[in-house]
């Protein structure tokens, strides 16, 4: 019987627990599993050389640590502190080592999917939607490379060394060519993507996602008229986007996929989770210990307006030097843990002089304490015990950013017209701030937009690319970043702004507005030129 069974071809069945290259493209459902795998490779930012199993945006060294918004906490071997701040990086010692390889791996998956689904014989309408998603994802991966490196090779078909030989090696396309490519991809993908996404498909690309990617790209490229038009399209799409009423809880799991979210990376605790609550909580909290890995700077704190619409530097009448944290923009207390903050059922003190206080300021970072006198609150779930897997999603684009993108592009294209004011004031209203003063000049509005972006989008991975594209990093990094030292004198708290340890960032404007192409990449492909002065 065994011999007969071995010869009976009717018993040769395809395994049901795995997909072969031949079977994956036979049906839309099988191809959908391949597309799901591409989505599963999404991350919100480049990966560092440490903790490469989690995205940089939700690891112990998020992108804001590479800007003037925050510095890394009392940890050793952290790229933003040990490499970036000291200028100790280059082609042979890049910071985001695996990013190039990871993005091109994802791009190849998109190319394989697009080529095979295009030739498949299942329903054309299904194919259109799936191909549009893949083209959007491929554009996202390309922009992620461009943000760091500028122009990169545009590859739209799967490459095969065995059949193509050295023809697989491509030189870099110019930045302008890459911008034009993504503009076209996003515009065409949007035509076949749905306007809204049902709850069961949360996390999939919509028209709004494609337009948000296109609009951000155009903003970064300084294509002001295009960026204004694309972001306006989202605003007038009728998709139902709006600002979520409560900024503080906008980012928590209970409010995921709300009306403000345009596109996010989906996570689920214990399935595809992360432990950012361990990394980002203060050093000591009521239910455990954190790493205090993100220390907001005094420079960022100073940009949060008081409720009269002015900062301390602008002479706000609501600033109290003996109690500087009251009467602030609502986003301040929603984003930053400061001295005296109530957090996780306890009070966090960063002032000096309290015995056995692991959260107090130590600007040097020695002794495992914070460097700035502040810890991160935004994006941290107070209900999650530090070290337990969290499933909070990571938002890539939300409606507030669209409003700010539009305001900036429109101001640069035509000046501060009524539409710019409306977009800005809508964002400010949720923060409890008054409308902007009328009659601002274009440079004055530009300054207000840049400050609004900083506080609204703090710790969402946008600040580094903003100061790069504005070419302001050399000015910002010319001075040490600041911290808040609080002491008690005669029973009164005294607040003193001091330099933060590790807050001096070495920056060479002749080269550091782009990252170096890893030498390992150029060793594999000699046609790839290095970025200038590396």
């Amino acid at each position: 019987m065994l011999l007969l069974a071995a010869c009976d071809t009717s018993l040769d069945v395809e395994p049901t627990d795995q997909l072969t290259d031949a079977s994956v493209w036979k049906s839309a459902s099988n191809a959908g599993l391949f597309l799901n795998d591409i989505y599963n490779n999404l991350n919100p930012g480049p990966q560092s050389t440490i903790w490469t199993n989690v995205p940089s945006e939700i690891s112990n060294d998020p992108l804001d640590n590479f800007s003037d918004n925050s510095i890394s906490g009392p940890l050793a071997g952290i790229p933003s502190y040990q490499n970036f701040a000291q200028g100790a990086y280059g082609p042979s010692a890049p910071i985001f080592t695996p990013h190039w390889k990871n993005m091109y791996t994802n791009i190849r998956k998109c190319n394989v999917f697009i080529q095979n689904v295009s030739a498949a014989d299942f329903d054309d309408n299904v194919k259109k939607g799936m191909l549009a998603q893949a083209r959007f994802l491929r554009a996202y991966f390309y922009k992620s490379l461009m943000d760091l490196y500028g122009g990169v090779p545009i590859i739209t078909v799967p490459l095969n060394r065995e059949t193509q030989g050295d023809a697989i090696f491509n030189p870099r396309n110019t930045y302008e060519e890459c911008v034009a490519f993504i503009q076209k991809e996003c515009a065409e993908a949007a035509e076949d993507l749905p306007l809204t996404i049902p709850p069961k498909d949360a996390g999939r690309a919509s028209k709004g996602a494609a337009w948000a990617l296109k609009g951000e790209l155009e903003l970064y490229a300084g294509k002001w008229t295009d960026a204004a038009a694309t972001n306006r399209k989202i605003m007038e799409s009728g998709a139902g986007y709006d600002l979520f009423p409560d900024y503080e809880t906008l980012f928590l799991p209970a409010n995921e996929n709300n009306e403000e979210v345009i596109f996010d990376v989906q996570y689920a605790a214990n399935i595809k989770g992360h432990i950012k609550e361990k990394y980002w909580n203060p050093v000591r909290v009521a239910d455990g210990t954190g790493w205090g890995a993100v220390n907001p700077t005094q420079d960022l704190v100073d940009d949060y307006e008081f409720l009269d619409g002015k900062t301390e530097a602008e002479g706000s009448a609501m600033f109290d030097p003996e109690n500087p944290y009251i009467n602030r923009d609502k986003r301040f207390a929603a984003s930053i843990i400061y001295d005296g903050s109530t957090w996780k059922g306890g009070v966090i003190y960063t002032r000096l002089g309290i015995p056995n206080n692991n959260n107090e300021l130590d600007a040097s970072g020695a002794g495992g304490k914070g460097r700035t006198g502040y810890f991160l609150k935004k994006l941290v779930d107070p209900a999650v015990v530090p070290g337990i897997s969290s499933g909070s999603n990571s938002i890539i684009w939300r409606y507030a950013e669209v409003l700010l993108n539009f305001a900036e592009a429109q101001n640069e294209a035509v000046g501060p017209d009524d539409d710019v004011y409306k977009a800005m004031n809508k964002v400010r209203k949720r923060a409890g701030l008054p409308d902007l003063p009328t009659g601002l000049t274009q440079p004055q509005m530009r300054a207000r937009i840049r400050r609004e972006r900083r506080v609204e989008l703090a710790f969402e991975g946008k600040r580094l690319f903003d100061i790069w594209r504005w070419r302001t990093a050399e000015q910002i990094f010319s001075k040490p970043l600041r911290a808040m030292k609080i002491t008690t004198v005669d029973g009164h708290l005294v607040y003193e702004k001091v330099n933060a340890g590790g807050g001096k960032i070495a920056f060479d404007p002749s080269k550091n507005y782009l990252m170096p192409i890893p030498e390992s990449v150029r060793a594999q492909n000699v046609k790839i030129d290095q970025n200038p002065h590396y």
Side-chain angles (χ1 to χ4, degrees), residues 50-51 59-61 72-75 78 275-284 289-295 368-370 375 386:
I50 297 179
W51 311 107
S59 75
N60 62 325
D61 201 23
S72 65
L75 306 171
I78 300 303
I275 55 170
K276 62 181 171 59
E277 276 71 22
K278 180 66 173 180
Y279 299 147
W280 293 357
N281 259 298
V283 179
R284 177 72 66 181
T289 58
W291 287 9
V294 183
N295 296 172
K369 300 175 182 179
F375 294 103

Side-chain angles (χ1 to χ4, degrees), residues 22 131 175 180 191 255 270 281 301 331 401 495 518:
L131 289 170
Y175 181 77
E191 293 180 4
N255 296 316
N270 303 315
N281 259 298
V301 171
R331 294 170 294 193
E401 183 180 357
Y495 297 82

Side-chain angles (χ1 to χ4, degrees), residues 159 164-170 527:
L159 301 178
Q164 296 173 278
D166 288 347
I168 68 170
F169 297 117
N170 292 272
K527 293 183 179 180

Side-chain angles (χ1 to χ4, degrees), residues 252-414:
L252 298 182
N255 296 316
E256 286 177 344
N257 306 311
N258 61 66
E259 64 267 31
E260 187 163 345
V261 177
I262 296 175
F263 187 69
D264 62 358
V265 178
Q266 300 279 307
Y267 290 94
N270 303 315
I271 299 174
K272 182 185 178 183
H274 45 73
I275 55 170
K276 62 181 171 59
E277 276 71 22
K278 180 66 173 180
Y279 299 147
W280 293 357
N281 259 298
V283 179
R284 177 72 66 181
V285 291
D287 56 355
T289 58
W291 287 9
V294 183
N295 296 172
T297 63
Q298 185 64 44
D299 309 72
L300 172 61
V301 171
D302 286 343
D303 264 355
Y304 285 93
E305 298 172 15
F306 291 87
L307 295 178
D308 59 2
K310 295 181 180 180
T311 63
E312 175 191 348
E314 292 169 338
S316 170
M318 304 185 81
F319 169 67
D320 180 354
E322 295 186 358
N323 197 353
Y325 303 131
I326 61 172
N327 301 320
R328 293 259 185 169
D329 176 334
K330 291 180 181 178
R331 294 170 294 193
F332 171 69
S335 303
I336 295 175
I337 296 173
Y338 54 90
D339 181 78
S341 294
T342 299
W343 178 244
K344 293 177 74 70
V347 179
I348 303 297
Y349 293 108
T350 62
R351 67 188 67 170
L352 304 183
I354 297 179
N356 303 314
N357 179 21
N358 292 335
N359 294 320
E360 75 175 7
L361 171 73
D362 183 341
S364 70
K369 300 175 182 179
R371 298 182 193 273
T372 66
Y374 301 103
F375 294 103
L376 180 60
K377 181 178 182 182
K378 181 178 174 179
L379 307 176
V380 182
D381 187 348
V384 174
V385 175
I388 300 299
S389 178
S390 170
S392 57
N393 294 346
S394 184
I395 299 173
I396 306 300
W397 299 293
R398 54 189 179 89
Y399 191 58
E401 183 180 357
V402 168
L403 293 174
L404 294 173
N405 288 353
F406 169 78
E408 180 179 351
Q410 183 75 353
N411 184 59
E412 297 298 336
V414 303

